[in-house]
Amino acid sequence: MSRNNITVGLFGFGCVGQGLFSVLENSIGFKPEIKKICVKHKEKERNLADKYFTFNKYEILDDPEINVIVELTDDFEAAFEIVKEALERGKAVVTANKKMVSEYFEEILLLQEKYKIPFLYEAACCASIPVIRNFEEYYDNDTLYSFHGIMNGTTNFILTEMRNTGKPFKTALESAQKNGYAESNPTHDIEGYDSKYKLCILLTHAFGLTVKPDKVLNFGIQKINDFDIRFANEKKGKIKLIARAHRLKSGGIAVFVMPQLIFENNELFTVDGVDNGIVTENFFADKNIFIGKGAGAIPTAAAVLSDLSALSYDYKYEYKKKMQLSNSFINNDFFVNVYVRFNERNEAGIHQFEEVYEEYYSTDQNYITGKIRFNKLIRSEWINKESVNVILINDKIY
Amino acid sequence: MSRNNITVGLFGFGCVGQGLFSVLENSIGFKPEIKKICVKHKEKERNLADKYFTFNKYEILDDPEINVIVELTDDFEAAFEIVKEALERGKAVVTANKKMVSEYFEEILLLQEKYKIPFLYEAACCASIPVIRNFEEYYDNDTLYSFHGIMNGTTNFILTEMRNTGKPFKTALESAQKNGYAESNPTHDIEGYDSKYKLCILLTHAFGLTVKPDKVLNFGIQKINDFDIRFANEKKGKIKLIARAHRLKSGGIAVFVMPQLIFENNELFTVDGVDNGIVTENFFADKNIFIGKGAGAIPTAAAVLSDLSALSYDYKYEYKKKMQLSNSFINNDFFVNVYVRFNERNEAGIHQFEEVYEEYYSTDQNYITGKIRFNKLIRSEWINKESVNVILINDKIY
């Protein structure tokens, strides 16, 4: 594929799709042509001439002039069908669909191997931060010990609002929705699924390990209440939703999404609002930190353009870690330090802790902080109760 | 060049050269062979078999088996001769020599164009932070408004020591030297030359502008005294040596190195010790921040290995911004906000300020803070006086 002959067929014309048009208009270099856009709803008003649009995906997939598909829809199953049909027809694909990539990762890897066609998805992880590219290219011969980060802009916006304005969760969520940062159905973001999809994608590039998202715990922020925020403020910390993968001394990798209390000396302490931040710990390069906008039409579309530009230089992911580290696996047998908040005195089983650091009981609510085996925590009968919330109190995974 | 046929000839076996050996030993993927090492001093003890070493550069340059030169010496003029002869002979080059790259940039660009041979130097800028690669690849179609950062680990270590322990400059420098972070002749680092070389390299990749280092002001940290540190502490700030390039509304680019007072809300506030940090401001991607080790044998050698790995995939810099932005130039006609400390009441010409924010006079020393035209500042008769120090008091370049 060369610089001048990229002709794009676009699927989806939502926020990021429209952002891509505005990014292309303002690009100082590369400006590939978008020939056709496939959309679902015939009746919607769109600020682009009718001739661009089609409602039949084969008008794009079967157009021999179109050699790159940009997939920006929100239906992950339909998206995968498009990807499959595109790769079969020898068309390269760029997508921002993290759910699709993570749910169908094994299939997508096989399709890439079979058809030798590039499939890029930088925009699927942390919008403007070039994290996949750096994992692929820069640490390719380094050993990563761990990576973790704030990978979802919506929840980070909500948590920042709650802390800065004292708003309860529900009001902060509404304010995120008003600002266009949260969908009308916010489950995906606030329950940590979105962070988990990104985590699963990065896991493949960082550790060569591909797992189905349902194998990974996502504990979200939807249960955080005033009491939790007060606890965080008293400790002079901030609560952030952190996705992490951490190589364990005992073998395997600890992988999960959970809110965490972080303090001033933490690299992510100042990552507020819709910003995302990733911290990597490497054998050679030591610690690296990448911070940038984790949401928004333009930053995400910029990542799509960057992938299109990379395609024009025949770039494709090599998945080098998959060759280097074939025996990685998820291991849930490790200790964490957590805060557990609960209503009734015996609701959270204190005897399940290896070590208790603090116990607090009041007429309002109660909490325990302590060291607990992760396996025990996630299988406990209380972790999923409406009245119980769990927050990591430090970075220690041991 | 392909994955398996990289044979390296190494020039220099100092800190980073030895680091490269240890990095190769521990690399989980790519392990190119180092066939020969050219060193200067015959009598030095080295922890590697004699057969590796030569004192005649042509034993490497004329060896047809060696197809990549890794240049890690400290003599920038001799280094350039090696690079020239290597490229002429069709051998690719990887270097960490920032002075050589920035001083001979125009020549190097011409040589690359003439011979079409890759020449990579990620290790020359901020050691472990993949900043050149990201400027080249990820922002290639974005418009950068500005980038700035802490680009020298030695001075950042010294400034961190001075702030945290109250040590005067001289003692902090000695402690940097004891820790192996500063050379016996530290001028290069503390007077801001090293930061300037990196700034000049990044300028080419970010703005397509190549200038000789002597066209850019480097104001170092060597004049910072107790009084300046006290001033910073009173304002609850930290002094950092910042290199910056900033696109001006009036046209052209502001480019200089100068100490700056930064506060808690600044992205670089927590970048301490030998860490480096770069902040980019982009039209599409908004603000991105990259942080990591800016010095040390292993992080720097890891960047060299990453370049070697990139070579094996036929990677070369495209210098896309040079094509896109041909009319960039350095412009010194803008305003900055500075603190100027001086001994004698009329030593720093207060009438040269557009606006004075504070004046402080004491039996000890004196300072003014205010807005001044950069052109006037750098041409003033007092800026280079031993008794006068200048520190930027905020990020405003206007």
Side-chain angles (χ1 to χ4, degrees):
Chain A
M1 206 161 302
S2 97
R3 198 79 185 150
N4 299 312
N5 74 357
I6 286 199
T7 304
V8 172
L10 176 61
F11 283 84
F13 197 61
C15 223
V16 181
Q18 293 171 50
L20 182 60
F21 264 82
S22 118
V23 157
L24 285 176
E25 254 167 48
N26 292 292
S27 164
I28 50 168
F30 183 51
K31 287 174 187 282
E33 189 211 349
I34 297 183
K35 191 179 171 189
K36 214 61 197 189
I37 307 166
C38 183
V39 288
K40 249 194 306 209
H41 303 291
K42 292 202 180 184
E43 62 293 348
K44 226 186 237 171
E45 282 269 349
R46 296 184 174 92
N47 56 357
L48 206 65
D50 278 351
K51 61 164 188 169
Y52 275 109
F53 295 98
T54 177
F55 308 99
N56 170 8
K57 65 177 178 177
Y58 294 106
E59 243 190 84
I60 288 180
L61 288 168
D62 290 337
D63 183 336
E65 236 183 72
I66 289 174
N67 52 4
V68 176
I69 301 298
V70 174
E71 190 289 310
L72 302 172
T73 68
D74 54 5
D75 177 342
F76 79 105
E77 283 161 328
F80 177 64
E81 287 308 311
I82 293 163
V83 167
K84 210 164 65 178
E85 296 192 73
L87 294 176
E88 276 168 11
R89 286 162 172 79
K91 296 185 199 303
V93 176
V94 172
T95 183
N97 198 322
K98 52 221 84 165
K99 183 166 186 185
M100 183 258 290
V101 177
S102 60
E103 291 286 359
Y104 292 103
F105 219 150
E106 287 292 359
E107 291 87 336
I108 287 168
L109 290 170
L110 288 171
L111 287 168
Q112 287 179 78
E113 211 174 288
K114 184 169 170 194
Y115 296 111
K116 316 272 182 228
I117 305 291
F119 174 74
L120 304 180
Y121 42 83
E122 185 62 70
C125 287
C126 305
S128 80
I129 310 176
V131 55
I132 298 177
R133 207 76 70 82
N134 279 294
F135 275 22
E136 268 290 295
E137 297 308 305
Y138 195 70
Y139 303 119
D140 54 348
N141 300 295
D142 203 341
T143 301
L144 260 84
Y145 295 129
S146 72
F147 69 89
H148 70 272
I150 298 168
M151 302 191 190
N152 176 274
T154 309
T155 46
N156 205 38
F157 179 89
I158 293 171
L159 291 168
T160 306
E161 279 283 290
M162 287 173 79
R163 180 174 193 269
N164 292 353
T165 66
K167 282 180 192 163
F169 175 76
K170 216 174 139 280
T171 323
L173 169 61
E174 281 162 15
S175 135
Q177 285 167 327
K178 252 179 240 153
N179 280 281
Y181 296 133
E183 326 251 332
S184 48
N185 177 357
T187 311
H188 210 239
D189 290 317
I190 62 170
E191 296 191 4
Y193 287 98
D194 179 81
S195 297
K196 182 166 75 167
Y197 299 142
K198 292 165 184 166
L199 177 60
C200 287
I201 295 173
L202 294 178
L203 198 57
T204 292
H205 293 278
F207 291 119
L209 174 61
T210 306
V211 295
K212 284 273 181 199
D214 66 6
K215 297 282 175 272
V216 173
L217 174 86
N218 55 302
F219 196 92
I221 66 160
Q222 71 278 11
K223 293 198 277 184
I224 293 175
N225 67 12
D226 288 1
F227 186 87
D228 301 329
I229 294 283
R230 236 167 24 239
F231 169 81
N233 287 345
E234 275 165 21
K235 304 276 182 193
K236 296 202 191 316
K238 288 181 186 177
I239 302 169
K240 298 286 183 189
L241 185 63
I242 307 274
R244 59 168 69 244
H246 194 109
R247 194 182 290 279
L248 295 168
K249 283 211 180 96
S250 56
I253 302 167
V255 187
F256 63 98
V257 177
M258 193 176 266
Q260 182 180 331
L261 191 62
I262 64 171
F263 300 95
E264 212 181 20
N265 60 357
N266 190 295
E267 299 85 4
L268 301 173
F269 191 75
T270 54
V271 179
D272 283 332
V274 295
D275 279 3
N276 281 190
I278 312 269
V279 180
T280 68
E281 291 185 288
N282 319 278
F283 183 39
F284 300 146
D286 206 310
K287 198 180 263 194
N288 280 149
I289 305 151
F290 302 87
I291 298 169
K293 283 277 164 296
I298 300 296
T300 310
V304 172
L305 175 62
S306 184
D307 276 352
L308 287 171
S309 178
L311 276 184
S312 79
Y313 288 94
D314 290 319
Y315 179 72
K316 62 181 176 29
Y317 301 140
E318 300 277 342
Y319 301 100
K320 292 167 200 164
K321 299 288 182 190
K322 280 203 97 68
M323 267 88 80
Q324 294 163 357
L325 307 158
S326 48
N327 62 351
S328 294
F329 58 95
I330 288 190
N331 183 352
N332 285 330
D333 192 18
F334 57 90
F335 295 105
V336 286
N337 293 309
V338 292
Y339 153 96
V340 179
R341 183 258 303 155
F342 48 96
N343 265 341
E344 305 300 326
R345 215 176 160 106
N346 290 314
E347 204 170 26
I350 201 163
H351 56 282
Q352 285 160 317
F353 281 78
E354 301 292 316
E355 218 177 309
V356 171
Y357 307 138
E358 290 176 287
E359 292 174 66
Y360 174 89
Y361 301 99
S362 76
T363 50
D364 185 5
Q365 301 201 288
N366 318 301
Y367 74 80
I368 299 171
T369 63
K371 171 181 172 182
I372 193 166
R373 198 177 279 278
F374 188 74
N375 243 336
K376 246 187 203 166
L377 173 70
I378 63 177
R379 288 205 228 115
S380 74
E381 74 286 2
W382 40 265
I383 187 171
N384 290 318
K385 280 192 181 169
E386 210 34 65
S387 54
V388 174
N389 193 24
V390 180
I391 297 170
L392 227 59
I393 55 170
N394 59 36
D395 267 323
K396 276 177 84 176
I397 308 290
Y398 58 125
Chain B
M1 205 161 305
S2 95
R3 198 80 186 151
N4 300 311
N5 74 358
I6 287 200
T7 305
V8 172
L10 176 61
F11 283 84
F13 196 61
C15 223
V16 181
Q18 293 172 52
L20 183 59
F21 264 82
S22 118
V23 157
L24 285 176
E25 255 167 50
N26 292 291
S27 165
I28 50 167
F30 184 53
K31 289 172 186 282
E33 189 211 348
I34 297 183
K35 191 179 171 187
K36 216 51 188 197
I37 307 166
C38 182
V39 289
K40 249 194 307 208
H41 303 291
K42 291 201 181 186
E43 62 293 344
K44 225 187 240 173
E45 283 267 351
R46 295 184 176 93
N47 56 356
L48 206 65
D50 278 354
K51 61 161 189 173
Y52 276 110
F53 295 98
T54 177
F55 309 99
N56 170 7
K57 66 178 179 179
Y58 293 106
E59 244 191 81
I60 288 179
L61 288 168
D62 290 337
D63 183 337
E65 236 183 73
I66 289 174
N67 52 6
V68 176
I69 301 298
V70 173
E71 190 290 309
L72 302 172
T73 68
D74 54 5
D75 177 343
F76 79 105
E77 283 161 326
F80 177 64
E81 286 308 310
I82 293 163
V83 168
K84 210 164 64 179
E85 295 191 75
L87 294 175
E88 276 168 11
R89 285 163 172 79
K91 296 185 198 303
V93 177
V94 172
T95 183
N97 199 322
K98 52 221 82 167
K99 183 166 186 184
M100 183 258 289
V101 177
S102 60
E103 291 286 0
Y104 291 104
F105 220 149
E106 286 293 0
E107 291 87 337
I108 287 169
L109 290 170
L110 289 171
L111 287 169
Q112 286 179 79
E113 211 175 290
K114 184 170 172 195
Y115 297 109
K116 316 273 181 228
I117 306 291
F119 175 74
L120 304 179
Y121 42 82
E122 184 62 71
C125 286
C126 305
S128 81
I129 309 176
V131 55
I132 297 177
R133 207 77 68 80
N134 279 295
F135 275 23
E136 267 289 295
E137 296 308 306
Y138 195 71
Y139 302 120
D140 54 348
N141 299 295
D142 203 342
T143 302
L144 260 85
Y145 294 129
S146 72
F147 69 89
H148 70 273
I150 299 169
M151 302 192 190
N152 177 273
T154 310
T155 47
N156 205 37
F157 178 89
I158 293 171
L159 292 168
T160 305
E161 279 283 291
M162 288 173 78
R163 180 174 194 267
N164 292 353
T165 66
K167 284 178 191 165
F169 175 77
K170 214 174 142 281
T171 322
L173 169 60
E174 281 161 14
S175 134
Q177 285 168 325
K178 254 181 239 151
N179 280 282
Y181 296 134
E183 326 250 333
S184 49
N185 177 357
T187 311
H188 211 239
D189 290 316
I190 63 172
E191 296 190 4
Y193 287 98
D194 180 80
S195 298
K196 182 166 75 167
Y197 299 141
K198 293 166 185 167
L199 178 60
C200 287
I201 294 174
L202 293 179
L203 199 57
T204 291
H205 293 279
F207 291 119
L209 174 61
T210 306
V211 296
K212 283 273 181 201
D214 66 7
K215 298 279 176 274
V216 172
L217 174 84
N218 55 304
F219 196 92
I221 66 161
Q222 71 278 10
K223 293 197 279 185
I224 293 176
N225 67 11
D226 289 0
F227 185 87
D228 301 329
I229 294 284
R230 242 174 11 247
F231 169 80
N233 288 344
E234 275 165 20
K235 305 276 182 193
K236 297 200 190 316
K238 289 180 184 177
I239 302 170
K240 299 285 182 190
L241 185 63
I242 307 275
R244 58 169 68 245
H246 194 110
R247 194 182 290 279
L248 295 168
K249 285 215 179 90
S250 56
I253 302 168
V255 187
F256 63 99
V257 177
M258 193 175 267
Q260 182 181 331
L261 191 61
I262 65 171
F263 302 94
E264 211 182 18
N265 59 356
N266 190 295
E267 299 84 5
L268 300 173
F269 192 74
T270 54
V271 179
D272 284 330
V274 295
D275 279 2
N276 280 191
I278 311 269
V279 181
T280 68
E281 290 185 289
N282 318 279
F283 183 38
F284 301 145
D286 206 311
K287 197 180 263 194
N288 280 148
I289 305 151
F290 303 87
I291 298 169
K293 285 277 163 298
I298 300 294
T300 311
V304 172
L305 175 62
S306 184
D307 275 352
L308 287 171
S309 179
L311 277 184
S312 79
Y313 287 94
D314 290 319
Y315 179 73
K316 60 182 180 28
Y317 301 141
E318 300 278 343
Y319 301 100
K320 293 167 200 165
K321 300 286 182 191
K322 280 203 98 68
M323 267 88 80
Q324 294 162 356
L325 306 158
S326 48
N327 62 350
S328 294
F329 58 96
I330 288 190
N331 183 351
N332 285 330
D333 191 16
F334 57 89
F335 295 105
V336 285
N337 293 308
V338 291
Y339 152 97
V340 180
R341 183 257 304 155
F342 49 95
N343 267 339
E344 305 298 329
R345 217 179 155 105
N346 289 315
E347 204 169 25
I350 200 162
H351 57 280
Q352 283 160 317
F353 281 78
E354 301 291 314
E355 215 175 311
V356 171
Y357 306 138
E358 292 176 286
E359 293 175 66
Y360 173 89
Y361 302 100
S362 75
T363 50
D364 184 7
Q365 300 200 290
N366 318 301
Y367 74 81
I368 298 172
T369 63
K371 170 181 172 182
I372 193 166
R373 199 177 278 277
F374 188 74
N375 243 335
K376 244 185 205 168
L377 173 69
I378 63 178
R379 286 205 230 115
S380 73
E381 74 286 1
W382 41 265
I383 187 171
N384 291 318
K385 279 192 181 170
E386 209 34 65
S387 54
V388 173
N389 193 25
V390 180
I391 297 170
L392 226 60
I393 55 170
N394 58 36
D395 268 324
K396 276 177 84 176
I397 307 291
Y398 57 125

